[in-house]
Amino acid sequence: MALSESQIPPDAQHYLVCGTEDCERNCQFYCNDCHQPMCEQCREEHQKNKKTKNHEVVPYKQRKRPLPVEKCKIHPTRHIELLCEECQIPICSKCTGTKEHRGHAFTDLELVFAEKCSLCHIEITKIRSYFEPTSQDLKKEIAGDVTETKKIMEGIRSSIKTEAEAVKKLVDAVTSDKIEQANKIEQSLLQTLNRQNQEIDYYINYLNDLIKTYYGYLSPSNIEQLTFALKSENLIIRPIPETSKPVPPIFTAGQYRKEDVAKLLGRITVPNTKPENRKIKPMETASTQMKLTEKQRKQDREKSDVKQTLSLSSSVTKVREYTVPGVDNVFHISLGKSGRLWASDKDGNLVQIDLQGNQLQKIQTSGEFEGYHTVTQDGDLIYTDRENKVINRITPDNTITGFIKTGDWAPLSIHSSHNHGDILVGMIKNREGKVTRYNKTGTEIQNIQRDNKGQVLYSYPQYITENINGDVCVSDWDKHAVVVVDKSGQHRFSYTGHGSRFYPYGICNDVLGHILVCDDISETVHLLDKDGQFLSLLLAEQQGVKYPYSVCVDDENNLWVGQGNTNTVTVYKYLQ
């Protein structure tokens, strides 16, 4: 159904014909006095005409809406065309002389109507330019939360099933042990009874032989033989051998409840945190936000263009070198904003330096040979405290606060995603490891511990990072492997070195999805593709690196390497 002219949006692109009779040219102007659309030629004629030369002719979009034709209810022959300012009701010209409106001020209703129409257009513009798109943005955000919630819950269901499989295997193992125990007890009891049965058999044979002897004495060949027999001790009947009745074992049923089994399968907890209200951008900053969004799109396009043009260089070039004061060696590095570097050694010293190598800050931590600190999207440094089982945050004003408590698990390694701000934490408990994912506010959203066969994935998740495809890459020193799972927690592959023993330390990823990992044995940096295929030994002793223990890649695609024998950090160019 076609819209009437009053229903057509003021900014709509629609075609109008000139209102002059027999003129079919495109309408561009409007006479507010005649309420007639007109083309450019008719406008010129209209303004040359003596009768209409003083009419207000404006561009069509700036037209005044014609007042709807409506009869006065008191004077049916007259049209409503005035507004009584005191009574605030529309009236006809004849109503002005009645006693109800005598002495009142009146306004041309057409002017009032035009003003109201203008206000309506302003409100329509607000709705179309701000309220509606902002609401649509909220719908997209909600849809994203729906997807994220489903992903989290699917991960929880998968974890529950994995835990159940592990418990089933434990139950099967314990059942087998207990049946074996019952078999051994039965075997021991039966052996005892068999010995007793054999002793009775021997005794019965003895009695039969004794009876035969007695029968022989009943018909003696001479008196002397009988006399000898009567004196013989062999005629004394030995007592019946003692036997004992076995004491069978007793089975005591296990004391368990449904709640006990539920504890074995972990627990689902809903954090006692007040839901955070979605942020609605203020109307006055909406246009600015749109400009910023466009700027972000441009930056993303530029990054994509850079990614498409980058490739591995034929050689690795040393760019610069830093000496980090306040540490004896460099076992982990994190890059902050403005190129500022955080470096830590095996004694828990955590130091921040600027691009000139000047020490800006130093704190004492419980960290040692692991990647225990990272810089968040907001520029804060967060680090693990495995002694107190907490993750701390250092804000730009150098305030240190407890951010996340990890319960019974000791946090080792940590990484803040540059894509979505999630925080990945490698933890240990009783020689078992796991990776826990938190969102940027510190709410736990995922646990990764076992593969789809129920086998434990991690033993000592010492360093951790996230690849561009969402894979979680863990350097596990105890398993001598880089263990990689996808974003849902499913095991993808494990890299165990290139033809020799492998003791992985620092690990990072670059814009092309490469995995770069330090090897303690060969004192090299291995370069893998995103699927775990070995590409090369990127850095070795011939490149001037010795004991590489920590790596990271900056925004300019340079590789930063920290050494375990000195307090030196070296920067290399390996992409072109």
Side-chain angles (χ1 to χ4, degrees), residues 92-218:
C92 69
S93 57
K94 195 171 183 179
C95 290
T96 59
T98 62
K99 62 179 181 179
E100 290 87 348
H101 300 287
R102 192 169 296 149
H104 292 180
F106 306 101
T107 304
D108 187 345
L109 190 58
E110 191 171 54
L111 294 175
V112 176
F113 182 71
E115 182 183 345
K116 297 298 182 184
C117 286
S118 177
L119 291 174
C120 287
H121 289 324
I122 291 171
E123 296 305 307
I124 289 170
T125 301
K126 287 181 183 178
I127 291 171
R128 291 187 182 279
S129 64
Y130 170 71
F131 289 97
E132 187 176 21
T134 301
S135 299
Q136 292 295 343
D137 288 344
L138 288 174
K139 278 181 66 65
K140 290 178 183 177
E141 189 176 337
I142 292 169
D145 288 342
V146 168
T147 302
E148 182 68 17
T149 299
K150 288 182 177 179
K151 183 178 76 173
I152 292 170
M153 296 313 298
E154 186 58 36
I156 289 175
R157 283 190 289 269
S158 177
S159 297
I160 291 172
K161 290 177 183 177
T162 302
E163 291 291 313
E165 288 298 324
V167 171
K168 287 176 184 176
K169 288 184 178 180
L170 286 175
V171 170
D172 290 342
V174 172
T175 301
S176 178
D177 291 344
K178 289 190 178 295
I179 289 176
E180 181 64 23
Q181 180 187 8
N183 291 341
K184 288 180 179 179
I185 293 173
E186 180 186 28
Q187 184 180 7
S188 175
L189 291 173
L190 293 179
Q191 285 177 348
T192 301
L193 292 173
N194 285 335
R195 283 196 299 270
Q196 292 181 8
N197 191 53
Q198 195 173 27
E199 287 179 6
I200 297 299
D201 284 342
Y202 289 155
Y203 184 72
I204 291 172
N205 289 335
Y206 156 75
L207 292 177
N208 289 332
D209 291 342
L210 193 59
I211 288 172
K212 290 178 182 179
T213 300
Y214 274 117
Y215 274 117
Y217 292 153
L218 291 176

Side-chain angles (χ1 to χ4, degrees), residues 86 124 200 346 357 436 500 550:
E86 188 168 330
I124 289 170
I200 297 299
K346 61 181 177 58
T436 299
S500 62
S550 53

Side-chain angles (χ1 to χ4, degrees), residues 55 71 74 160 227 284 288 290 303 316 371 413 491 565 567:
H55 285 192
K71 298 289 185 179
I74 301 174
I160 291 172
T227 304
E284 59 270 16
T288 305
M290 290 173 67
K303 286 183 180 179
V316 178
S413 53
H491 182 238
N565 62 329
N567 60 344

Side-chain angles (χ1 to χ4, degrees), residues 73-89:
K73 294 180 180 179
I74 301 174
H75 308 101
T77 60
R78 300 293 181 95
H79 290 149
I80 292 176
E81 53 190 13
L82 298 172
L83 178 71
C84 178
E85 293 184 0
E86 188 168 330
C87 301
Q88 283 297 303
I89 59 172

Side-chain angles (χ1 to χ4, degrees), residues 337 374-382 393 416-418 423:
K337 293 183 177 180
T374 184
V375 177
T376 68
Q377 280 184 324
D378 299 329
D380 297 343
L381 183 105
I382 53 178
R393 181 198 294 272
S416 176
S417 171
H418 302 304
I423 298 167

Side-chain angles (χ1 to χ4, degrees), residues 346-454:
K346 61 181 177 58
D347 298 319
N349 296 305
L350 180 57
V351 172
Q352 186 189 37
I353 65 170
D354 59 20
L355 290 174
Q356 287 72 45
N358 301 312
Q359 180 177 311
L360 303 177
Q361 191 175 174
K362 180 178 181 180
I363 60 173
Q364 186 66 40
T365 71
S366 62
E368 295 178 1
F369 305 88
E370 63 268 340
Y372 68 88
H373 50 86
T374 184
V375 177
T376 68
Q377 280 184 324
D378 299 329
D380 297 343
L381 183 105
I382 53 178
Y383 68 94
T384 64
D385 180 353
R386 64 176 173 178
E387 290 183 359
N388 297 307
K389 298 182 175 60
V390 69
I391 296 168
N392 293 321
R393 181 198 294 272
I394 304 177
T395 56
D397 62 358
N398 298 335
T399 302
I400 301 177
T401 56
F403 178 39
I404 300 171
K405 293 182 179 179
T406 58
D408 296 334
W409 290 80
L412 283 180
S413 53
I414 191 166
H415 174 75
S416 176
S417 171
H418 302 304
N419 299 324
H420 40 69
D422 285 356
I423 298 167
L424 299 166
V425 184
M427 309 186 193
I428 55 170
K429 183 178 75 171
N430 301 329
R431 299 304 298 169
E432 240 182 61
K434 72 170 182 175
V435 171
T436 299
R437 182 189 296 272
Y438 301 88
N439 63 19
K440 62 177 67 176
T441 63
T443 301
E444 181 180 313
I445 57 178
Q446 185 186 25
N447 272 295
I448 305 169
Q449 190 172 357
R450 293 184 172 87
D451 61 19
N452 54 10
K453 296 181 180 178

